[in-house]
Amino acid sequence: MDHPFADLIGLTVEQQDDGSSTLLLPVDGRHFNPHGVVHGAVIYAMADTGMGAALYSTLDAGYACATVDISISYFRPVVEGQLLCQTVLDNKGRTVAHLTARITQNDKLIAQASGNFAIMSMPPERR
């Protein structure tokens, strides 16, 4: 899937199937806040994108999803290296799904997020 924002920040989808996804992000200076650590919005973007990727892998043709809400907790700052985001689909109903994403670096938990996504049919002109 074409994803200009992921391309902008250097985020890649390594795996996406059966209600799960794995994303990688090599950290560099463009990801830093003024304090010299990765900005929380970058980590949030990883979780949001990972959740969308995991859910999309379960959707029938002609359907899309959109973030309803995400709650994220940050545990450690990041200044270099690579981040890994692993997401699993916890529950999928007809119109709403719940997912959990864990962002780690070298097996250390950096952040964890849970989110709800709306599931909707796409208008014919957008399919």
Side-chain angles (χ1 to χ4, degrees):
M1 175 188 301
D2 184 39
H3 198 305
F5 180 74
D7 294 342
L8 179 70
I9 65 171
L11 183 60
T12 58
V13 177
E14 296 293 309
Q15 174 270 327
Q16 173 185 16
D17 61 50
D18 200 28
S20 69
S21 70
T22 302
L23 282 64
L24 295 175
L25 178 71
V27 171
D28 63 43
R30 67 185 156 161
H31 302 116
F32 291 174
N33 66 21
H35 305 290
V37 299
V38 173
H39 195 289
V42 173
I43 295 169
Y44 178 95
M46 286 189 77
D48 185 42
T49 305
M51 289 182 202
L55 182 54
Y56 264 106
S57 73
T58 70
L59 298 180
D60 292 331
Y63 282 81
C65 64
T67 310
V68 174
D69 67 77
I70 292 179
S71 174
I72 188 166
S73 296
Y74 301 92
F75 303 112
R76 299 176 185 277
V78 176
V79 297
E80 63 183 7
Q82 181 167 270
L83 293 175
L84 173 72
C85 177
Q86 295 175 296
T87 302
V88 294
L89 175 64
D90 299 316
N91 187 65
K92 180 182 169 194
R94 191 175 53 78
T95 60
V96 177
H98 185 271
L99 301 101
T100 301
R102 292 173 54 88
I103 295 89
T104 59
Q105 184 180 52
N106 301 324
D107 296 323
K108 292 183 181 174
L109 186 61
I110 302 301
Q112 182 165 308
S114 62
N116 294 301
F117 281 65
I119 300 168
M120 64 209 120
S121 63
M122 294 291 292
E125 66 272 6
R126 301 270 329 235
R127 291 184 188 179

